């Protein structure tokens, strides 16, 4: 494949979803390439993982910096790398409104619930307490309102009778690793299709 969308993956921690995105690149012929892995935590384990995959990395601590100021620094680095799409993968920092507007419609996130249910944190415990039959994960576009952008794809995970928050989280994370690469691939395929007039769609599934 000659043309791919250049993606920046933003992380703050161990980078398990980054690994899934990078492994998908190895196993398939996706419509994206990871142009940079960026982090607000210079000691993040995911940066080590990225280097093992041969991916370019960038990091800078956000501590002591205004949110908008830090995001302008990130924005400058992504544009220097000709990034077209951003994939948040365990990026544990809220983005400034200025940054979100600048990348409107081009920031994806993976959230551990079946949105619009259980936005924010502690999603698994909340699902268990509510007596849900299913939990899951959602890939959505990022907007200024937390976890409220359009949902692109979802994967459901059945809640078992003996589940606690930890066991449920582990199974949902495994579902994330399957869903995110496929959803990002479809999204990038659509961008390329719009660019050159191709028609059709790829079914990510649920």
């Amino acid at each position: 494949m000659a043309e791919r969308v250049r993606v920046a993956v933003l992380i703050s921690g161990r980078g398990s979803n980054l690994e899934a995105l990078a492994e998908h690149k190895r196993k398939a012929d996706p419509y994206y390439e990871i142009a940079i892995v960026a982090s607000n935590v210079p000691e993040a384990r995911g940066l080590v993982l990225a280097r093992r995959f041969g991916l370019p990395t960038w990091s800078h601590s956000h501590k002591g910096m205004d949110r908008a100021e830090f995001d302008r620094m990130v924005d400058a680095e992504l544009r220097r790398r000709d990034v077209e799409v951003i994939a948040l993968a365990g990026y544990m920092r809220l983005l400034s409104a200025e940054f979100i507007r600048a990348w409107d419609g081009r920031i994806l996130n993976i959230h551990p619930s079946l949105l619009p249910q259980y936005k924010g944190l502690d999603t698994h415990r909340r699902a268990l307490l509510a007596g849900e039959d299913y939990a899951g994960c959602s890939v959505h576009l990022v907007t200024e309102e937390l976890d409220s952008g359009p949902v692109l794809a979802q994967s459901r995970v059945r809640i078992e009778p003996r589940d606690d928050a930890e066991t449920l989280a582990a199974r949902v994370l495994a579902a994330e690793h399957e869903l995110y690469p496929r959803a990002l691939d479809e999204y990038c395929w659509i961008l390329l299709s719009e660019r050159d007039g191709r028609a059709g769609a790829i079914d990510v599934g649920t």
Side-chain angles (χ1 to χ4, degrees):
M1 183 191 303
E3 189 177 12
R4 294 184 176 89
V5 175
R6 291 177 63 80
V7 172
V9 182
L10 272 55
I11 65 170
S12 296
R14 59 182 176 172
S16 69
N17 269 304
L18 161 66
E19 183 173 13
L21 295 173
E23 285 287 359
H24 185 72
K25 177 72 170 63
R26 283 184 173 182
K27 294 183 291 188
D29 188 19
Y31 294 94
Y32 67 84
E33 61 177 317
I34 300 175
I36 184 72
V37 177
S39 180
N40 63 316
V41 182
E43 62 274 17
R45 288 167 51 194
L47 293 172
V48 176
L49 182 64
R51 296 182 191 112
R52 289 176 182 167
F53 278 100
L55 299 172
T57 62
W58 177 91
S59 64
H60 194 289
S61 175
H62 65 271
K63 294 178 181 178
M65 296 185 67
D66 174 82
R67 187 180 306 278
E69 177 189 9
F70 180 80
D71 283 356
R72 283 192 291 271
M73 181 185 298
V74 175
D75 178 84
E77 180 62 23
L78 301 193
R79 294 184 188 281
R80 188 177 75 83
R81 302 274 184 165
D82 296 322
V83 166
E84 301 168 90
V85 168
I86 298 169
L88 305 181
Y91 189 64
M92 305 303 292
R93 180 168 171 80
L94 292 177
L95 297 169
S96 64
E98 176 186 359
F99 186 94
I100 293 172
R101 286 194 294 267
W103 292 88
D104 181 41
R106 291 184 291 157
I107 308 174
L108 279 65
N109 183 48
I110 181 90
H111 181 74
S113 79
L114 295 173
L115 292 173
Q117 292 182 311
Y118 310 118
K119 300 174 183 179
L121 302 175
D122 205 16
T123 58
H124 308 300
R125 185 185 67 84
R126 290 157 64 194
L128 289 168
L129 288 175
E132 302 285 0
D133 292 324
Y134 288 92
C137 52
S138 306
V139 177
H140 66 98
L141 292 177
V142 173
T143 60
E144 292 182 46
E145 186 179 352
L146 180 66
D147 298 330
S148 296
V151 173
L152 303 179
Q154 291 186 319
S155 181
R156 296 199 305 170
V157 174
R158 180 178 290 279
I159 296 176
E160 303 294 343
R162 295 186 178 182
D163 265 332
D164 57 22
E166 185 175 341
T167 59
L168 180 58
R171 294 209 315 285
V172 170
L173 185 61
E176 291 181 31
H177 295 165
E178 292 290 327
L179 182 67
Y180 207 4
R182 291 185 287 127
L184 177 61
D185 202 16
E186 177 183 2
Y187 182 76
C188 290
W189 184 87
I190 291 170
L191 290 183
L192 292 173
S193 298
E194 291 174 348
R195 188 177 298 171
D196 64 15
R198 283 176 286 185
I202 299 173
D203 182 15
V204 173
T206 56

